[in-house]
Amino acid sequence: MPEGGGTTPPSGNGECAGRMCVRRPQGTAGCGAQKSDEEMAAMTILVGVKRVIDYAVKIRVKPDHTGVVTDGVKHSMNPFCEIAMEEAVRLKEKKHAQEVIAVSCGPQQCQETIRTALAMGADRGIHVEVTGKDYDALGPLQVSKILAALAKQEKVDLILLGKQAIDGDWNQTGQMTAALLDWPQGTFASEVKVEDKKLMVTREVDGGLETVSLKLPAVVTSDLRLNEPRYATLPNIMKAKKKKIARTSAQELGVNISSKLQTLSVEDPLQRTAGVKVENVEQLVAKLQEIGRI
Amino acid sequence: MFRLFSTTGRRIPATCYLQRFQSTLVLTEHNNEKLTPITLNAITAAKQLGGEVCCLIAGTNCGKVTEEVSKVQGVKKVLVAENDIFKGFLPEELTPLVLAAHKEFKFTHICAGASAFGKNIIPRIAAKLDVAAISDITEIKNPDTFVRTIYAGNALCTVKSDDDVKVFSVRGTSFEAASVNGGNASSEKVSPPSAAGVSEWIGQSLTKSDRPELTSARVVISGGRGLRSGENFKLLYDLADKLHAAVGASRAAVDAGFVPNDLQVGQTGKIVAPELYIAVGISGAIQHLAGMKDSKTIVAINKDPEAPIFQVADYGLVADLFKAVPEMTALLEK
């Protein structure tokens, strides 16, 4: 095992069903200063973080059916992005990474999301400013082109993303970024281990779990069970204010973000009709038999 | 169109005809032994586009599956690529194969079921073709307009693609399965491009179960945090046996370690739409509803009368599940 220390998560890809021991490092600060003493070249990790409507908010469709109401609605970091961010910070704490860069594409408010990532332990941020109509049409293909350009510019070894954003529910950006870079992909990861110059990724698939080995550089997308993200502490939030967020744009990166996909309408789904309450189990079974369900 | 007519008959080549005509490539999901059922739903979606349906079967052992797919109604042609590099169905190896097939046959649509397999590979193919992919479609309005859900199923979004090739994944529960007999497709071998070699499949650990598969079961019984422990899930298994049902779970039950994560129903787990869905000890968070609210009949058993699950349940029983579930099992025994 090339990893030092004894803090690697359980390795078996079976019994533990992808659950990792929740390791919450006590002293997260200070690990950035010391250089890895092993000869293994530590990675630069790029983490994509998206600002989305908070997962607990009940969304409302706009009356003109052009989208959902976002003004004055609570936003936060996409939950899967938080998990990707946490994993990057853990890889750094295990000395597999030397630098973690958080990137977000979108309007000014995305800087708050990047700031949150910095407070979790990212070293610096990049804000790719996309506004107005361009932002409305910004889909996974456009974001993946931006990420691929940044990956080359920053010479990153690993891109960590969430498996999907909970607004668009596309589940595409990681796969597309990997394709554009011709890198291997480890999607829906529930465990990530660094071995030599390879990544061992345990993936959540339909029947259970599977493990793949990827040559670096690679793209990994996180599933819910990859880890439990830490909360940013107040001192770390204060420290994050001093960290740098570079601003750039798709144009500066030489990326064309035009889209051939247009949203024709957004509607409310069919509402289910209110049901009835039954008194007891006999009634329930009788009703279900009546309508032929059992 | 007009230009086509103005050319002489001799000048209308086959490729031109093909471009005008819809032709769809369906990526076949299988395990080298059997076809995965969601492929049949994807074939139905492909047929709705109105053109020719072609299936691509890649794997280390394709004989049985080729036979199976050739008989599926509506499939015109089967492309078969058998090679050891397809071990584990890695997207890094499959994508060049799909691109090569597309180069030869110029499909207007490329699709797969929106399973872990389809979600993994479809966007990779789309990016290589420089087109947007459309995930998890629930309806086809016409060959370039599709409906899908966003925000955990809380909104329906209609999108139109002006890309040359439409690349999409299909929500299995939104389309009927194509009939597995009556078809008579021709099969053709395609040679795989050289191995990419950037990834390797190491192994898998699949959850074994005698019960029907969750996403295609007629009846699903799911348990949530209210079950309190993994042992208590036995109550649901007993009831499931009586109803020939599959057993699912909410994220709370998975996170608490009651059951493995591949049983999770919801936005981040599986999407099911059975005839009967029985939610036991599940409050009904938005993320869970996203995975089951298209079920034909929903039953909720929960002791909290205020639980949001009752707002979508056709039949609700406010009761202690530890009493109600065994009672129901006993009643069905008669």
Side-chain angles (χ1 to χ4, degrees):
Chain A
M1 287 290 253
E3 288 109 323
T7 49
T8 39
S11 57
N13 53 18
E15 328 65 49
C16 69
R19 196 157 298 100
M20 305 237 316
C21 52
V22 181
R23 192 172 63 88
R24 286 198 185 243
Q26 297 294 301
T28 54
C31 61
Q34 66 224 61
K35 273 251 155 54
S36 168
D37 46 358
E38 275 155 312
E39 85 282 22
M40 198 194 84
M43 300 184 285
T44 300
I45 305 180
L46 185 70
V47 185
V49 291
K50 186 176 185 183
R51 177 180 180 268
V52 298
I53 293 182
D54 191 87
Y55 72 95
V57 171
K58 176 128 182 56
I59 58 123
R60 279 182 301 134
V61 170
K62 284 185 192 167
D64 65 356
H65 300 293
T66 55
V68 305
V69 178
T70 54
D71 288 342
V73 174
K74 186 185 175 197
H75 282 66
S76 47
M77 191 192 290
N78 177 45
F80 290 100
C81 300
E82 280 189 330
I83 294 167
M85 191 62 234
E86 172 68 30
E87 195 63 20
V89 176
R90 288 186 189 194
L91 286 170
K92 189 178 169 182
E93 286 164 353
K94 286 184 208 154
K95 312 271 193 325
H96 291 312
Q98 60 173 6
E99 191 180 35
V100 176
I101 310 167
V103 56
S104 192
C105 309
Q108 182 66 25
Q109 296 97 312
C110 288
Q111 295 214 0
E112 294 161 26
T113 310
I114 299 172
R115 207 54 85 183
T116 307
L118 295 174
M120 285 176 75
D123 298 287
R124 60 187 169 97
I126 300 175
H127 174 209
V128 184
E129 200 162 8
V130 184
T131 53
K133 278 210 161 60
D134 282 344
Y135 181 58
D136 292 336
L138 194 71
L141 183 63
Q142 291 72 36
V143 173
S144 58
K145 285 178 180 175
I146 291 171
L147 292 176
L150 277 174
K152 284 184 193 154
Q153 179 184 300
E154 304 291 333
K155 298 192 173 48
V156 309
D157 307 284
L158 173 64
I159 300 179
L160 269 167
L161 303 170
K163 80 162 178 182
Q164 76 189 65
I166 60 164
D167 51 0
D169 283 338
W170 291 107
N171 194 334
Q172 295 181 0
T173 306
Q175 295 88 316
M176 288 186 149
T177 308
L180 295 174
L181 291 163
D182 270 320
W183 291 2
Q185 65 192 50
T187 51
F188 327 144
S190 62
E191 189 182 343
V192 176
K193 286 194 294 177
V194 183
E195 282 182 13
D196 297 322
K197 288 213 161 134
K198 285 185 179 165
L199 278 189
M200 296 292 264
V201 179
T202 301
R203 308 180 52 233
E204 294 199 8
V205 293
D206 289 336
L209 300 169
E210 74 171 28
T211 305
V212 291
S213 152
L214 311 177
K215 276 190 189 157
L216 286 168
V219 177
V220 170
T221 71
S222 62
D223 215 315
L224 272 180
R225 274 156 290 269
L226 180 58
N227 59 47
E228 201 172 312
R230 69 194 65 190
Y231 291 105
T233 58
L234 190 60
N236 284 342
I237 293 170
M238 300 309 286
K239 260 184 242 161
K241 290 188 177 166
K242 295 204 184 88
K243 293 181 181 173
K244 292 251 176 356
I245 299 179
R247 275 168 76 158
T248 184
S249 64
Q251 288 75 12
E252 271 177 60
L253 291 165
V255 173
N256 175 4
I257 53 169
S258 65
S259 168
K260 287 189 174 173
L261 191 68
Q262 44 171 317
T263 299
L264 298 185
S265 74
V266 175
E267 323 257 345
D268 280 309
L270 281 177
Q271 294 301 318
R272 292 190 76 97
T273 47
V276 294
K277 290 252 170 80
V278 291
E279 292 299 319
N280 51 40
V281 175
E282 283 81 15
Q283 258 189 36
L284 178 62
V285 172
K287 290 272 189 203
L288 292 176
Q289 280 167 342
E290 214 171 279
I291 60 164
R293 289 285 181 243
I294 57 176
Chain B
M1 203 60 159
F2 199 73
R3 263 198 8 229
L4 200 76
F5 280 103
S6 65
T7 56
T8 60
R10 191 178 53 84
R11 290 269 327 269
I12 305 175
T15 51
C16 191
Y17 177 71
L18 271 174
Q19 273 166 5
R20 213 158 46 86
F21 202 67
Q22 307 284 341
S23 69
T24 305
L25 179 69
V26 179
L27 309 183
T28 304
E29 183 178 353
H30 65 99
N31 62 1
N32 290 314
E33 280 288 321
K34 272 189 71 175
L35 182 69
T36 309
I38 195 168
T39 305
L40 296 171
N41 307 97
I43 289 171
T44 299
K47 284 198 283 192
Q48 284 184 15
L49 293 163
E52 225 166 63
V53 177
C54 179
C55 287
L56 175 68
I57 304 173
T60 53
N61 190 355
C62 302
K64 274 189 196 166
V65 182
T66 304
E67 223 172 275
E68 229 181 313
V69 176
S70 303
K71 290 190 193 123
V72 174
Q73 209 166 59
V75 177
K76 196 82 181 208
K77 187 162 58 184
V78 180
L79 303 175
V80 186
E82 194 173 273
N83 196 292
D84 286 345
I85 64 170
F86 301 128
K87 182 183 166 202
F89 308 102
L90 295 164
E92 294 82 358
E93 304 298 348
L94 289 171
T95 302
L97 174 70
V98 176
L99 296 177
H102 175 61
K103 204 171 168 194
E104 188 175 345
F105 296 102
K106 301 270 182 287
F107 300 105
T108 54
H109 296 74
I110 299 175
C111 72
S115 57
F117 166 82
K119 288 172 177 171
N120 197 25
I121 188 168
I122 283 290
R124 191 168 177 112
I125 294 166
K128 279 286 173 198
L129 295 169
D130 194 21
V131 303
I134 307 164
S135 304
D136 220 353
I137 62 153
T138 56
E139 193 188 330
I140 296 171
K141 294 247 181 188
N142 62 52
D144 58 17
T145 309
F146 306 88
V147 181
R148 59 184 299 272
T149 67
I150 52 175
Y151 288 95
N154 286 298
L156 295 177
C157 184
T158 305
V159 292
K160 180 172 182 287
S161 165
D162 291 326
D163 281 313
D164 300 333
V165 194
K166 279 72 170 169
V167 180
F168 59 96
S169 62
V170 177
R171 181 170 294 188
T173 56
S174 299
F175 297 86
E176 295 290 323
S179 167
V180 290
N181 36 52
N184 185 21
S186 61
S187 76
E188 191 175 315
K189 284 220 178 337
V190 284
S191 47
S194 54
V198 289
S199 57
E200 191 189 345
W201 186 79
I202 305 294
Q204 62 185 15
S205 68
L206 301 181
T207 309
K208 289 193 180 68
S209 168
D210 303 331
R211 291 193 183 77
E213 206 263 322
L214 189 53
T215 50
S216 55
R218 207 183 66 84
V219 181
V220 173
I221 304 174
S222 282
R225 202 196 305 272
L227 267 293
R228 289 199 220 131
S229 76
E231 291 78 70
N232 291 337
F233 258 78
K234 181 161 186 313
L235 295 176
L236 300 193
Y237 293 133
D238 291 344
L239 180 56
D241 288 342
K242 292 281 164 291
L243 294 167
H244 307 290
V247 172
S250 71
R251 190 186 157 196
V254 173
D255 281 350
F258 301 169
V259 288
N261 52 268
D262 50 302
L263 294 192
Q264 186 184 322
V265 172
Q267 185 185 20
T268 58
K270 301 223 167 66
I271 311 251
V272 301
E275 286 185 22
L276 176 61
Y277 188 88
I278 307 180
V280 180
I282 291 177
S283 65
I286 299 173
Q287 291 79 4
H288 184 74
L289 299 185
M292 47 64 82
K293 68 179 176 188
D294 292 327
S295 305
K296 297 225 169 61
T297 301
I298 298 175
V299 169
I301 302 177
N302 203 306
K303 64 179 175 191
D304 174 14
E306 304 298 319
I309 190 80
F310 286 118
Q311 290 161 20
V312 298
D314 299 285
Y315 299 104
L317 175 63
V318 181
D320 181 2
L321 71 93
F322 292 102
K323 278 176 70 180
V325 174
E327 231 180 278
M328 193 165 168
T329 309
L331 208 61
L332 290 168
E333 232 150 52
K334 285 177 199 162

